[in-house]
Amino acid sequence: MTAAVFFGCAFIAFGPALALYIFTIATEPLRVIFLIIGAFFWLVSLLFSSLFWFMARTITDNKDGPIQKYLLILGVLVSVLIQEMFRFVYYKLLKKASEGLKTINPDETAPSMRLLAYVSGLGFGIMSGVFAFVNTLSDSLGPGTVGIHGDSPQFFLNSAFMTLVIILLHVFWGIIFFDGCEKKKWSSLLVVLLTHLLVSALTFISPHYGINLVSTYLIMVLMGIWAFFVAGGSCRSLKLCLLCQDKDFLLFNQRSR
Amino acid sequence: MEAGIQQRPGLVLSPRCPVAQPRGPLGGVMGRAGLPGKLAGTARSARRCQKLFQALLPPWLPGAAAGRTLRLGQHRGAGGASQGRAMLTFMASDSEEEVCDERTSLMSAESPPPRCCQEARQGLEDRESAAQWRSQDSEEDLDEDADRYMCSGVPGQPSGLEEELTLKYGAKHVIMLFVPVTLCMVVVVATIKSVRFYTEKNGQLIYTPFTEDTPSVGQRLLNSVLNTLIMISVIVAMTIFLVVLYKYRCYKFIHGWLIMSSLMLLFLFTYIYLGEVLKTYNVAMDYPTLFLTVWNFGAVGMVCIHWKGPLVLQQAYLIMISALMALVFIKYLPEWSAWVILGAISVYDLVAVLCPKGPLRMLVETAQERNEPIFPALIYSSAMVWTVGMAKLDPSSQGALQLPYDPEMEDSYDSFGEPSYPEVFEPPLPGYPGDELEEEEERGVKLGLGDFIFYSVLVGKAAATGSGDWNTTLACFVAILIGLCLTLLLLAVFKKALPALPISITFGLIFYFSTDNLVRPFMDTLASHQLYI
């Protein structure tokens, strides 16, 4: 597999996340720290999920057969539950930290919960995407032929697109989740959990990439629109932004129109 | 006393620290603010002499061991102490490796110990400056809290502002440490993954004489524990030796060691590294070109680290040296011994820094008694810069106000009595003392090179032995960064010198073993079925 595949897939999967990081996070040290802490929380959730799966496997004595497949499915679903649980824990931590920052630092504006929602979502997403895809990427640099045993030759591309959609979904889920927690709308949390379960479940039909990817992207678009409105956007502000007539934004960037 | 001495906000040091350096909120910040103008003047000429001396005898910093611990806020003392430890460790060895190690640690001598040498010459000046500092110190004692965060020259600021400064500058300083630590780890991991030389087993250091090629697991474990005991006792012995040397003022000896170590590290290890990289990529290089390259690299490195140089270049050299050192450790430490040593070093670090009778603490206290900075070698500093608004007109706090430090314009500041530190450390002294401007204060943070080295060893080992798995490496990387973050937070909370190794290494070890044994099979199984969680 060639360098073109490596770079292409790497940028497909991580390009948007990298752009988001460079333009919105890298400039503020506090955001970088919250991003890394978010990544750490996702990592801990993965650790617990692996522990659960490992214990389940040990209990069933590592027998081969369909039970392994069921255990894996169970592992995936439990992992999704644990991830969302850790998202909630991170929300609680950020809430405390936010309050702490406010009391200590009344003059300086602490990052708002919405911003922290975005940062935490991105942290979760980046870590999740990296863990899912980086081993595959490093294999793509080595020798081999994709799909030689009848698998799809688009394996790398599909994985890259799937990784991208997972990263973006985590960002949107983060925003919606935190907003739900702030406004005590537990239905939002439930929807986030259910869509996460749905996205993971869709990957069970993995050889049929078309359905898998298309439906996941559809869910991503829906989540994106919901997150946009939840974060305070509106059709009007979107129009202004796209036509470069958003005065506040222009003023902020000191451009004249 | 040189200005720009790193401050030692630790419990032991801060009230008596003669150099009122603004301490960063996280303690690790070493502000250079406090040198009074008068002091600057006296120090200036002393510094000029020292510069020359420095050029000849690079400061010898006690060991990389010192560097190992991040004494946020306790820079000089702690750093020096820990460095001494490392140095001692390496001093005892006769092998090439040890010398190199030592050199490496010595290399980072940024704040030349010449200060110490200088002190002998400066006698009167020092006393004078010391007196000035003492008067400032009493002020400091009154406002100890404020002093913690602000340069000694600004005692009048309210504690609320101090807290604000803590948070305002805390995040920035965390990032200032994240970037070099990340860079060092990236260099080490990139080398480990591409150059096969550093993962081949070609013998062991004499400090780890027991082999790990044993038939049984128990025997292997026993051997690794014995290796660790030997290594740690060597380190302890070296540290004590260093403390003794320091107590009996054998500065020349220390300086000589430092220079020799730096030389070996910058030239020999670089040559070996370059050779291996060229071999890996099958690039031919003729000897004249090689000689020219290595000579230039080494000479510029010596100059940057021991004398003057642009901050970025100095930082880059320190990172490269730490990476080279870490690679040596990764190559020559057997597997299980490496993990046990990492754990033991963290415990030792904790004990040495926090126990009242720890060698590092004693070193720091001795330096404090003598009102001289401990050897600052082997500390990475993310420079400094500006400061400080002065709350009131106070001649003794003139030092607080400083011009923005611009490395390129360093020479131009000499007329203001700027400390002649080649490195970044020295912030320019105020050209307008007594000004009541409120300038934004930025203080640098310092981290010992030993910390860099051991973080990189952990991540490098994870990369080398993780069976080609990147997840383990990434997990260790994130764990170390989080540990560093927590350490800095604790530093801000406890306001005393803290070792940087324990928390990060503990997290790193936990995540290494759990990711390697639990997460890896899970992720591999998921990947093979193309499931996403």
Side-chain angles (χ1 to χ4, degrees):
Chain A
M1 293 144 285
T2 59
V5 169
F6 172 76
F7 283 109
C9 290
F11 286 126
I12 287 174
F14 300 120
L18 191 67
L20 283 173
Y21 175 81
I22 289 175
F23 290 117
T24 59
I25 300 202
T27 47
E28 293 282 320
L30 205 56
R31 293 182 203 174
V32 176
I33 294 174
F34 283 126
L35 184 90
I36 295 186
I37 298 178
F40 179 71
F41 270 75
W42 187 88
L43 189 62
V44 174
S45 80
L46 179 66
L47 193 65
F48 281 112
S49 326
S50 315
L51 186 65
F52 170 84
W53 179 73
F54 186 79
M55 285 191 329
R57 253 198 354 174
T58 324
I59 289 173
T60 62
D61 285 331
N62 273 344
K63 283 194 289 263
D64 273 330
I67 189 143
Q68 292 300 323
K69 183 117 179 135
Y70 296 141
L71 268 183
L72 195 61
I73 292 174
L74 181 68
V76 168
L77 297 177
V78 168
S79 170
V80 169
L81 277 168
I82 296 180
Q83 280 179 54
E84 297 304 326
M85 208 166 70
F86 269 84
R87 208 194 290 274
F88 185 72
V89 168
Y90 192 37
Y91 165 77
K92 283 287 177 202
L93 182 76
L94 283 179
K95 197 95 178 106
K96 275 211 189 118
S98 239
E99 278 157 11
L101 278 173
K102 277 202 186 81
T103 52
I104 290 175
N105 220 358
D107 303 330
E108 174 122 332
T109 45
S112 70
M113 211 54 193
R114 275 193 197 146
L115 179 66
L116 291 177
Y118 160 71
V119 169
S120 80
L122 191 59
F124 268 61
I126 289 181
M127 204 59 180
S128 164
V130 161
F131 259 67
F133 195 49
V134 87
N135 276 332
T136 315
L137 258 188
S138 87
D139 283 340
S140 79
L141 273 177
T145 309
V146 189
I148 199 168
H149 290 296
D151 303 309
S152 161
Q154 317 301 335
F155 171 67
F156 286 117
L157 269 184
N158 285 312
S159 304
F161 278 108
M162 196 64 200
T163 309
L164 170 65
V165 84
I166 293 277
I167 294 178
L168 291 176
L169 270 172
H170 269 290
V171 174
F172 300 142
W173 282 330
I175 297 173
I176 298 169
F177 193 94
F178 276 41
D179 182 71
C181 289
E182 285 277 294
K183 300 201 177 107
K184 307 271 189 254
K185 278 197 319 190
W186 308 116
S187 58
S188 302
L189 272 68
L190 199 61
V191 172
V192 166
L193 179 63
L194 287 177
T195 42
H196 196 165
L197 282 170
L198 180 64
V199 166
S200 283
L202 278 173
T203 62
F204 292 155
I205 57 169
S206 67
H208 306 285
Y209 289 129
I211 312 168
N212 185 9
L213 273 180
V214 166
S215 30
T216 314
Y217 269 88
L218 208 61
I219 295 176
M220 190 261 293
V221 167
L222 288 171
M223 289 285 126
I225 294 173
W226 187 6
F228 176 73
F229 285 109
V230 151
S234 63
C235 293
R236 197 176 141 272
S237 68
L238 184 64
K239 184 175 132 208
L240 285 177
C241 176
L242 289 175
L243 296 175
C244 290
Q245 283 169 1
D246 188 347
K247 291 204 174 57
D248 294 332
F249 181 72
L250 292 175
L251 260 170
F252 178 71
N253 284 336
Q254 287 165 0
R255 262 184 240 121
S256 60
R257 241 311 159 134
Chain B
M1 180 75 86
E2 296 275 5
I5 289 177
Q6 294 83 46
Q7 196 151 43
R8 297 171 283 205
L11 217 52
V12 174
L13 307 173
S14 68
R16 294 180 285 144
C17 178
V19 184
Q21 279 293 334
R23 266 167 302 200
L26 301 182
V29 175
M30 302 209 211
R32 292 232 191 216
L35 202 56
K38 210 153 122 210
L39 180 58
T42 59
R44 197 189 332 169
S45 48
R47 254 176 256 118
R48 289 224 170 94
C49 294
Q50 192 180 340
K51 248 194 238 191
L52 185 58
F53 187 86
Q54 273 174 6
L56 303 173
L57 268 188
W60 177 82
L61 288 176
R68 240 180 264 133
T69 51
L70 167 62
R71 303 280 187 264
L72 293 180
Q74 194 192 28
H75 344 281
R76 184 98 36 148
S82 46
Q83 287 162 10
R85 189 165 40 124
M87 184 188 66
L88 287 176
T89 309
F90 297 117
M91 255 178 20
S93 93
D94 290 330
S95 80
E96 183 188 48
E97 301 301 339
E98 307 319 312
V99 183
C100 293
D101 288 348
E102 209 167 357
R103 257 196 302 148
T104 315
S105 46
L106 297 179
M107 293 304 282
S108 47
E110 292 158 41
S111 294
R115 275 185 211 157
C116 307
C117 306
Q118 181 188 343
E119 296 221 345
R121 297 184 216 167
Q122 274 188 246
L124 194 59
E125 290 167 335
D126 278 346
R127 255 169 267 134
E128 180 187 315
S129 27
Q132 277 186 338
W133 284 116
R134 286 217 185 81
S135 65
Q136 217 165 335
D137 281 349
S138 57
E139 249 179 28
E140 288 176 28
D141 285 342
L142 293 176
D143 292 322
E144 197 160 52
D145 276 352
D147 183 43
R148 292 251 163 72
Y149 294 110
M150 306 195 304
C151 64
S152 52
V154 198
Q157 288 195 345
S159 58
L161 185 54
E162 151 201 333
E163 293 291 335
E164 176 188 321
L165 287 175
T166 303
L167 288 164
K168 197 171 183 175
Y169 296 114
K172 205 178 245 184
H173 295 116
V174 172
I175 300 301
M176 277 200 244
L177 284 185
F178 273 8
V179 172
V181 169
T182 308
L183 277 175
C184 190
M185 288 198 239
V186 162
V187 170
V188 169
V189 169
T191 308
I192 291 278
K193 289 282 188 185
S194 54
V195 179
R196 218 160 292 139
F197 171 74
Y198 288 103
T199 43
E200 287 163 5
K201 284 286 302 169
N202 270 341
Q204 298 180 189
L205 297 172
I206 64 162
Y207 296 142
T208 53
F210 295 95
T211 176
E212 284 194 8
D213 283 331
T214 53
S216 73
V217 172
Q219 179 74 15
R220 189 173 184 185
L221 194 63
L222 181 68
N223 281 358
S224 52
V225 170
L226 289 173
N227 280 340
T228 307
L229 284 174
I230 294 176
M231 187 77 144
I232 300 291
S233 38
V234 166
I235 289 176
V236 173
M238 289 259 211
T239 312
I240 295 177
F241 182 48
L242 175 72
V243 173
V244 163
L245 272 183
Y246 188 69
K247 276 201 144 107
Y248 290 106
R249 302 179 188 263
C250 307
Y251 298 134
K252 283 205 175 136
F253 190 66
I254 294 178
H255 290 181
W257 263 112
L258 194 58
I259 288 192
M260 270 197 28
S261 278
S262 303
L263 275 173
M264 244 182 47
L265 192 68
L266 271 180
F267 288 99
L268 185 64
F269 277 4
T270 307
Y271 169 73
I272 293 174
Y273 180 79
L274 196 59
E276 292 305 323
V277 168
L278 291 175
K279 261 190 235 169
T280 305
Y281 291 104
N282 206 17
V283 173
M285 191 186 258
D286 52 304
Y287 275 113
T289 311
L290 184 70
F291 172 74
L292 209 63
T293 310
V294 171
W295 167 253
N296 276 305
F297 180 84
V300 174
M302 290 293 288
V303 166
C304 273
I305 290 168
H306 296 287
W307 198 50
K308 282 185 194 245
L311 178 61
V312 174
L313 201 56
Q314 181 184 54
Q315 290 172 335
Y317 269 105
L318 290 174
I319 292 175
M320 281 192 270
I321 284 172
S322 311
L324 283 174
M325 207 55 240
L327 285 169
V328 165
F329 272 134
I330 293 171
K331 181 174 171 61
Y332 289 107
L333 285 180
E335 287 206 21
W336 290 21
S337 306
W339 298 114
V340 184
I341 284 175
L342 277 173
I345 279 275
S346 321
V347 172
Y348 170 67
D349 212 15
L350 197 65
V351 164
V353 174
L354 297 178
C355 282
K357 277 298 172 189
L360 297 183
R361 212 168 193 178
M362 280 170 49
L363 191 64
V364 161
E365 281 165 8
T366 315
Q368 261 193 331
E369 282 163 31
R370 295 183 195 168
N371 279 334
E372 59 188 33
I374 299 185
F375 305 117
L378 302 181
I379 298 190
Y380 172 94
S381 106
S382 57
M384 6 97 312
V385 201
W386 317 314
T387 42
V388 182
M390 276 195 347
K392 57 180 185 246
L393 190 54
D394 183 352
S396 66
S397 62
Q398 282 172 11
L401 191 56
Q402 290 175 342
L403 299 168
Y405 182 71
D406 186 351
E408 291 91 44
M409 289 160 54
E410 195 182 320
D411 290 337
S412 73
Y413 283 126
D414 270 347
S415 55
F416 291 105
E418 184 235 348
S420 61
Y421 273 104
E423 298 95 1
V424 186
F425 287 22
E426 304 289 318
L429 287 176
Y432 36 92
D435 204 334
E436 295 207 347
L437 292 177
E438 284 285 326
E439 285 186 4
E440 176 121 356
E441 175 169 339
E442 252 190 77
R443 312 181 201 98
V445 203
K446 289 186 201 287
L447 179 60
L449 279 206
D451 296 321
F452 278 85
I453 292 172
F454 282 102
Y455 292 161
S456 307
V457 165
L458 195 146
V459 175
K461 271 287 185 197
T465 62
S467 46
D469 188 40
W470 283 91
N471 290 343
T472 317
T473 313
L474 283 165
C476 290
F477 167 71
V478 172
I480 286 179
L481 287 188
I482 294 291
L484 190 58
C485 213
L486 274 176
T487 309
L488 293 172
L489 189 69
L490 280 179
L491 196 60
V493 168
F494 287 111
K495 305 188 181 80
K496 60 185 266 191
L498 290 178
L501 278 185
I503 299 180
S504 288
I505 298 285
T506 310
F507 274 22
L509 287 174
I510 292 174
F511 274 86
Y512 171 75
F513 287 110
S514 55
T515 310
D516 206 34
N517 297 315
L518 295 176
V519 176
R520 193 166 47 90
F522 184 48
M523 291 306 283
D524 282 346
T525 318
L526 286 179
S528 68
H529 290 94
Q530 291 173 50
L531 302 179
Y532 283 81
I533 52 166

